[in-house]
Amino acid sequence: PIYWISKEGKLENFINRKQFIRLFPEYRLELQGFLDRENINFKLREDIIRLGNFLNSLPGEMSSYTH
């Protein structure tokens, strides 16, 4: 599946871990840690929701995501 996320008022899409991390280079270490720790599967909607919730919990991040 292709997922969409709003970042700074612009819609961006991603389909995998590499593309997602590239969207948020300022949070690369935090995202890599979360993805590894939580074993996020980019094919599972529930995992993407968990990832979005984590991203929204980071300081200063106000993104929204859709599937």
Side-chain angles (χ1 to χ4, degrees):
I2 297 175
Y3 298 99
W4 293 88
I5 190 163
S6 174
K7 182 179 179 193
E8 299 172 356
K10 182 179 175 189
L11 282 178
E12 304 279 357
N13 67 52
F14 63 95
I15 60 171
N16 59 35
R17 172 189 180 114
K18 183 178 178 181
Q19 289 178 353
F20 186 80
I21 291 173
R22 192 178 301 144
L23 293 174
F24 301 96
E26 66 276 23
Y27 294 113
R28 182 179 56 83
L29 294 177
E30 293 90 338
L31 290 171
Q32 287 175 334
F34 180 80
L35 292 168
D36 291 341
R37 186 173 57 254
E38 299 295 322
N39 197 26
I40 296 296
N41 182 338
F42 279 80
K43 294 180 181 177
L44 297 177
R45 183 176 182 270
E46 296 80 16
D47 282 4
I48 298 302
I49 291 170
R50 288 185 14 223
L51 177 57
N53 289 337
F54 174 76
L55 180 64
N56 286 332
S57 76
L58 295 173
E61 195 52 54
M62 295 294 293
S63 296
S64 60
Y65 58 92
T66 59
H67 171 254

